[in-house]
Every structure is written in structure tokens, then in C-alpha cells.
Amino acid sequence: MGKHSKNAGVMGAESLTYHERKALGFGTVSERLGKDSIGNYYDCRLTLRPAVDPVCTPDGFLFSREAILENLLAQKKANKRKVAAWKAQQAERQRKAEEKAAIEAEAAVLAFDRQNHAGASAGAAARLTASIAAEADALLADKRVASGAVNIRAHGERMAEMRAFWLPSKTPEAAANLEAPDGVTRCPASGKPLRLRDLTSVALTPLPDGAAQEFMDPVSRDPFTNATRLMVIKPTGRCKRRAAHAVDGGGHRRGTARAAGVPL
């Protein structure tokens, strides 16, 4: 009897081996991506094309100026619509709260009158107040429901239009609970707050006798590739290699201020 047959019934023997699991598709799936599937360093994060009049964010994301301006403008318009919708919802809630308070006050007066003039008991007056409050909640919430036999007879037309959960066309919909918008425009790549003043213009130095999208370091004259680590100098917008920026002391001479840079 072989070793496998002896261990066939022990705990864990029914599990698959590594090769069996891999053959069935379990585990990490790895795939080598080609050059065409990876964007270039000079591509816009929105258009996925070579950036036109490029600008970069403080986090180093590159955009075409027109594309990022249109995106920020669209965000501002969307924020205005969200603020208007939120204010309308708050006004509607305030109106319903005031109407409910008025109905509850009238119900308290009616219950007091029934208890003191019509001889109704305290329990009957409390039930009357509770039924009126429930009916007010149903009306203010736009729920076409019946709370009792009296309501069925008094509101026959409304019962004919009652929403039924078993009919798709009459399924009740929950009211959207809007949150107060912050009104902040955000970077479409990182999601962090971004203002127009935070954008830095990028000046790429073209490679002499090179193609249309070939650039180089303005100091070391080394050509850029997708593997080159770049940074943008804020005062001038010049794009250079990080290694060259570290070698030349940050782009400043003795007695001058150090130039701030944005890594790309």
C-alpha cells in the first residue's frame, strides 16, 4: 500500500495542491503589460493625450490647461447645484416641521376640549392626539396609507392611489438625504482639494533635432524617458531630473534662495 493511500483519509488531504489550484485559476493573476498600455510622462491625466499647455498640481499630476480648467469649472457648477438642492431640502424640512408643530398644537386643543367639555377620558384624549399626529406624519411624508376604518371611508379616493410594494410602478421611494456640500473643487487624479492658484505651469525643454514629444533636462541635457524621475521648479516651471536637481544643490547659487520644486 502506497503512502498516498495511507494518508488519503486524514484531515487536510482533501485540499488541492498548489499546481491544481493554479490550474483552476486560483491565486494571483499576473500579466505583462505592453508599452502601449502605459501612458507617457507628458500625457494629460484627463485626456490621456500629450498635454497641451501643461500644468501640474502640488502632488505632481500633469494636465492640459484647458482640460483641468473645464473640469474645475464643471465641479464649481455641480457644487452650486448641490448647494441649491441642499438648501431646498432644508427649507422643505423646516416647512414640514412647522406644519407638524401647528397640527400638534391644534390636536392638543381638541383633546383638551373633548376631555373637559365632552366628557372624554384621558386615555381617549391621548389616543385622539396620537392618531392625529400619526395622520399628520403620513400626510407630511406623502405616504398614501390608511390608519383605520374611519380613514378608509373618508379617503376612498386616496386609497385607490395607494402605493403598493408588490407593484413596480407604485413602489415607494425613500427620500434622498442630502448632506451639506463643502463646495471644494478637487483634483480628478488624487481627490485632494485643488484651486486654480495651486496649478503650476510646466515648461518642457524640447530635445534638439528630436521628435515632437521628446524633451530633455535643461541643465544636464539628458533626454527624458518614462522611467526618469522628474520635478518642476515653481518659479520658472522648468522640468528637470530629480537627480540633477540634487547634484546642483537645488538650482540655487550661494546667497540666493533655494528654488521650490514639485515632483512629477
Side-chain angles (χ1 to χ4, degrees):
M1 184 178 293
K3 184 177 180 181
H4 177 73
S5 60
K6 290 181 180 180
N7 300 329
V10 299
M11 183 178 296
E14 67 277 1
S15 62
L16 300 176
T17 63
Y18 170 77
H19 297 286
E20 290 173 343
R21 290 175 61 85
K22 190 174 182 181
L24 292 175
F26 291 94
T28 304
V29 178
S30 59
E31 182 179 357
R32 185 180 296 274
L33 299 178
K35 180 180 178 181
D36 296 337
S37 61
I38 302 177
N40 298 307
Y41 66 92
Y42 50 79
D43 287 345
C44 172
R45 286 301 185 102
L46 286 173
T47 62
L48 303 181
R49 295 182 178 181
V52 180
D53 192 7
V55 294
C56 71
T57 66
D59 293 327
F61 294 102
L62 195 70
F63 297 97
S64 296
R65 184 181 297 273
E66 182 179 0
I68 188 62
L69 291 182
E70 290 180 355
N71 184 274
L72 294 178
L73 180 60
Q75 290 187 45
K76 288 184 178 181
K77 292 182 179 179
N79 289 336
K80 289 183 178 180
R81 291 194 296 269
K82 292 178 181 179
V83 170
W86 179 77
K87 289 183 177 179
Q89 186 184 65
Q90 296 300 314
E92 181 67 15
R93 288 181 177 178
Q94 181 67 21
R95 182 189 65 82
K96 289 183 177 181
E98 293 175 356
E99 291 182 0
K100 183 178 179 180
I103 292 175
E104 290 178 350
E106 293 180 2
V109 172
L110 180 60
F112 179 82
D113 180 73
R114 293 288 179 87
Q115 187 176 1
N116 290 274
H117 297 86
S121 62
R127 288 193 297 271
L128 176 63
T129 304
S131 62
I132 294 176
E135 183 67 19
D137 290 337
L139 291 174
L140 293 176
D142 193 24
K143 294 179 180 178
R144 299 181 174 88
V145 297
S147 58
V150 177
N151 195 22
I152 293 176
R153 292 195 300 268
H155 305 284
E157 296 181 358
R158 225 176 58 182
M159 287 297 299
E161 300 178 359
M162 182 180 65
R163 297 179 181 177
F165 66 90
W166 57 85
L167 295 178
S169 60
K170 294 186 177 182
T171 302
E173 297 180 357
N177 187 16
L178 302 179
E179 297 182 357
D182 54 6
V184 177
T185 55
R186 301 185 180 275
C187 174
S190 65
K192 296 181 180 180
L194 179 65
R195 298 172 300 177
L196 183 61
R197 67 182 69 177
D198 298 331
L199 298 175
T200 303
S201 299
V202 179
L204 294 169
T205 304
L207 190 66
D209 301 331
Q213 301 300 332
E214 292 185 357
F215 305 98
M216 67 176 184
D217 188 291
V219 178
S220 63
R221 316 288 290 182
D222 294 331
F224 294 156
T225 64
N226 289 335
T228 307
R229 302 183 67 183
L230 306 176
M231 69 181 309
V232 175
I233 307 301
K234 281 188 176 181
T236 61
R238 289 290 180 182
C239 184
K240 59 188 303 186
R241 296 169 58 246
R242 291 195 202 178
H245 183 75
V247 169
D248 65 9
H252 71 289
R253 297 180 180 179
R254 183 177 301 176
T256 60
R258 183 182 179 90
V262 178
L264 289 181

